[in-house]
Amino acid sequence: MWFQNWNHNLPIALINIADVFLQNEPLNTTSVSGYNALLRYEGFEGDSSLDFWCNICGPDVHPVGWCATSGKPLVPPRSIQHKYTNWKAFLVKRLTGAKTLPPDFSPKVSESMQYPFKPSMRVEVVDKTHLCRTRIAIVDSVIGGRLRLVYEESEDKTDDFWCHMYSPLIHPIGWSRSIGHRFKRSDIIKKQDGQIDAPSPLFAKVKEAESSGEWFKEGMKLEAIDPLNLSAICVATIRKVLADGYLMIGIDGSEAADGSDWFCYHATSPSIFPVGFCEINMIELTPPRGYTKLPFKWFDYLRETGSVAAPVKFFNKEVPNHGFHVAMKLEAVDLMEPRLVCVATVTRIIHRLLRIHFDGWEDEYDQWVDCESPDLYPVGWCQLTGYQLQPPASQSSRDSQSSSSKQKKKSKSQQYKGHKKISSLQLKEELIDGEEYSFLQGASDQESNGSASQYIKQEP
């Protein structure tokens, strides 16, 4: 974003709390966190007793000089008025030539919070009760780019679904038919007054997939994040190849006979991985439900099922230089209850894949999320946008939510739960589908520098 790199020596004016500036000397690296900055009153020098955090994009933050142009008095905090006899001369000396926020800072903040999606726009979105299909929904409200969508047939507007406007789960009207995806037809024949179909350019653009030659085929095996249990990466199968690079995928051992729990990922999705990804990156792979030959071995499983692994070259290998580190704090959507944005921590990093832990909750509620997910936000995002932030859960609140969605997720998690691997993981020496690949170990628990490659084919 245009304001992602804050200068730790940046003086600013903050109204409603007298005159406040960032100390015009370097602060430590914890002085900036997301949209928040640690501020110190000018004149306090090395005294940090009254330092405080402030959302730098808030409406009360202005560049130095704003008071003069707005006719506001510039006065020091009362507690240190006695330190200098001539505060005007002191401030002129301190602030002359100092860097400050650009004059168009506030307008740019406001501009960045204007969103193209509007209430009454119609979209296609995943059916939260049957992931294999989409339904028509109406945009009810927009907060910080997050959409509250109400399914078209919901008369009382309680059957809703939350997602970000750049989520891969929403599409323009007609998308399902164009790629061959299942779609639940609505009983609503005519649009209501004021409703319009959201224009296609508003939606996130998907990277084009090279599917003209050799490509994914039905029955190929892979590893995939389970959308119903985002803490698990599971043994999975491509069940149907759709148009434009989209794939219908099922979790082995847990599929309904009618395919109603298949889910759609694009071929370039960071949520699907080649066979062996979990093993080489020391991630627990969830085996098929009911599979008893443990520890799970891909070579044995492929032979037993008469299956082939999807070739490594078909998968997305791009790793952006995302800059995330283990232990970083952020605000993250609980994708199992997507109306909630929670205090969270990055606990693992595997290339572009982040393990997100929700503070105050057990590890079984962790979720694997891509580093470029629109459901991850800097600290201070909720305050800036007016979205409610869920604080870390206390023990008492966890105990009292036995019937909540968290508990539903727990039962789902246990349903797919696999056995932990006891022995050390080793690279396979067997050949899979006649091809040999070497896997480079991921940048686990480190910052990705964008140069890592998850899987490299060996040249003869």
Side-chain angles (χ1 to χ4, degrees):
M1 300 179 71
W2 55 270
F3 47 78
Q4 69 183 38
N5 294 317
W6 298 115
N7 187 327
H8 290 186
N9 307 319
L10 195 65
I12 59 173
L14 181 68
I15 64 173
N16 294 337
I17 314 181
D19 261 350
V20 185
F21 305 90
L22 266 177
Q23 185 184 14
N24 202 20
E25 297 179 4
L27 298 175
N28 59 51
T29 57
T30 61
S31 60
V32 177
S33 179
Y35 292 104
N36 295 338
L38 184 63
L39 303 185
R40 180 172 301 173
Y41 289 96
E42 190 64 64
F44 270 71
E45 306 298 338
D47 183 1
S48 62
S49 61
L50 292 182
D51 287 4
F52 62 97
W53 288 95
C54 177
N55 193 309
I56 205 74
C57 296
D60 295 334
V61 177
H62 305 278
V64 170
W66 179 86
C67 286
T69 58
S70 303
K72 304 286 184 181
L74 191 62
V75 295
R78 292 180 181 178
S79 60
I80 57 170
Q81 280 183 338
H82 64 280
K83 290 187 64 175
Y84 303 96
T85 56
N86 190 337
W87 275 95
K88 182 177 180 180
F90 169 78
L91 292 176
V92 168
K93 181 180 178 180
R94 294 281 288 179
L95 302 178
T96 299
K99 293 181 180 180
T100 187
L101 298 175
D104 60 348
F105 181 79
S106 182
K108 282 189 174 181
V109 171
S110 298
E111 181 183 341
S112 71
M113 296 177 65
Q114 300 300 313
Y115 309 105
F117 281 87
K118 306 297 180 185
S120 297
M121 284 186 172
R122 301 168 78 243
V123 301
E124 288 185 13
V125 65
V126 65
D127 184 343
K128 63 183 181 182
T129 60
H130 295 86
L131 299 185
C132 66
R133 67 187 185 189
T134 57
R135 297 170 61 184
I136 291 178
I138 313 300
V139 177
D140 177 74
S141 58
V142 184
I143 305 178
R146 295 195 61 76
L147 311 179
R148 179 179 182 260
L149 303 173
V150 176
Y151 290 112
E152 190 173 50
E153 294 174 306
S154 178
E155 296 181 358
D156 59 0
K157 294 188 176 182
T158 59
D159 189 9
D160 63 356
F161 184 78
W162 281 89
C163 68
H164 194 271
M165 62 183 182
Y166 294 140
S167 168
L169 301 177
I170 61 170
H171 309 277
I173 299 295
W175 173 83
S176 297
R177 183 174 59 181
S178 68
I179 70 161
H181 193 283
R182 290 187 188 180
F183 175 77
K184 182 185 179 183
R185 296 187 179 277
S186 173
D187 294 333
I188 308 297
I189 301 176
K190 187 178 180 181
K191 298 178 189 176
Q192 296 184 11
D193 292 341
Q195 292 183 355
I196 62 170
D197 295 348
S200 295
L202 301 190
F203 297 83
K205 291 180 172 57
V206 180
K207 180 182 176 182
E208 292 186 9
E210 297 292 336
S211 58
S212 56
E214 189 180 0
W215 191 235
F216 288 103
K217 296 180 181 179
E218 292 182 19
M220 284 183 171
K221 300 293 184 181
L222 69 164
E223 299 174 5
I225 297 176
D226 181 355
L228 294 179
N229 177 20
L230 293 163
S231 67
I233 300 179
C234 305
V235 174
T237 302
I238 296 173
R239 294 303 181 188
K240 189 175 182 181
V241 178
L242 308 179
D244 296 342
Y246 287 95
L247 310 169
M248 295 303 296
I249 297 172
I251 300 297
D252 284 25
S254 303
E255 298 177 68
D258 60 357
S260 59
D261 55 358
W262 295 353
F263 49 92
C264 185
Y265 280 147
H266 193 264
T268 61
S269 170
S271 297
I272 59 174
F273 317 96
V275 163
F277 174 85
C278 284
E279 183 173 8
I280 191 60
N281 289 293
M282 301 188 72
I283 301 172
E284 180 184 352
L285 176 66
T286 302
R289 185 182 181 189
Y291 189 75
T292 58
K293 193 174 180 180
L294 301 174
F296 179 86
K297 293 291 184 181
W298 264 116
F299 183 77
D300 294 339
Y301 185 69
L302 292 174
R303 183 172 52 193
E304 292 166 5
T305 58
S307 307
V308 297
V312 174
K313 60 186 177 182
F314 293 170
F315 293 83
N316 181 12
K317 304 175 187 66
E318 292 184 3
V319 182
N321 187 9
H322 51 67
F324 282 101
H325 292 272
V326 167
M328 277 186 169
K329 296 291 184 182
L330 69 163
E331 298 173 4
V333 175
D334 177 358
L335 293 169
M336 302 305 296
E337 188 66 43
R339 63 184 177 84
L340 303 180
V341 177
C342 310
V343 174
T345 305
V346 178
T347 58
R348 284 198 72 184
I349 300 174
I350 308 295
H351 301 293
R352 63 182 299 149
L353 195 61
L354 310 180
R355 182 80 170 180
I356 302 299
H357 174 76
F358 296 103
D359 290 18
W361 291 97
E362 291 82 0
D363 293 347
E364 64 187 287
Y365 302 125
D366 290 1
Q367 297 178 3
W368 288 109
V369 182
D370 182 61
C371 66
E372 294 185 339
S373 168
D375 296 306
L376 301 178
Y377 310 106
V379 170
W381 179 86
C382 282
Q383 180 185 5
L384 175 65
T385 61
Y387 203 100
Q388 183 177 357
L389 177 65
Q390 304 298 316
S394 63
Q395 182 62 45
S396 58
S397 66
R398 291 197 300 270
D399 293 342
S400 66
Q401 293 188 23
S402 59
S403 61
S404 69
S405 61
K406 288 285 185 182
Q407 294 299 324
K408 293 178 183 177
K409 180 169 63 175
K410 181 177 180 179
S411 63
K412 181 67 175 177
S413 175
Q414 290 174 336
Q415 178 182 354
Y416 287 155
K417 201 74 174 177
H419 292 265
K420 291 184 179 294
K421 291 181 171 59
I422 300 176
S423 59
S424 61
L425 298 175
Q426 301 194 2
L427 295 178
K428 300 180 183 67
E429 296 180 355
E430 299 92 350
L431 301 182
I432 298 179
D433 194 24
E435 293 182 306
E436 183 176 359
Y437 293 89
S438 65
F439 294 74
L440 296 184
Q441 188 166 347
S444 177
D445 306 334
Q446 303 175 27
E447 175 189 4
S448 168
N449 61 11
S451 62
S453 178
Q454 293 165 295
Y455 5 78
I456 306 295
K457 183 176 180 179
Q458 292 183 343
E459 297 297 336

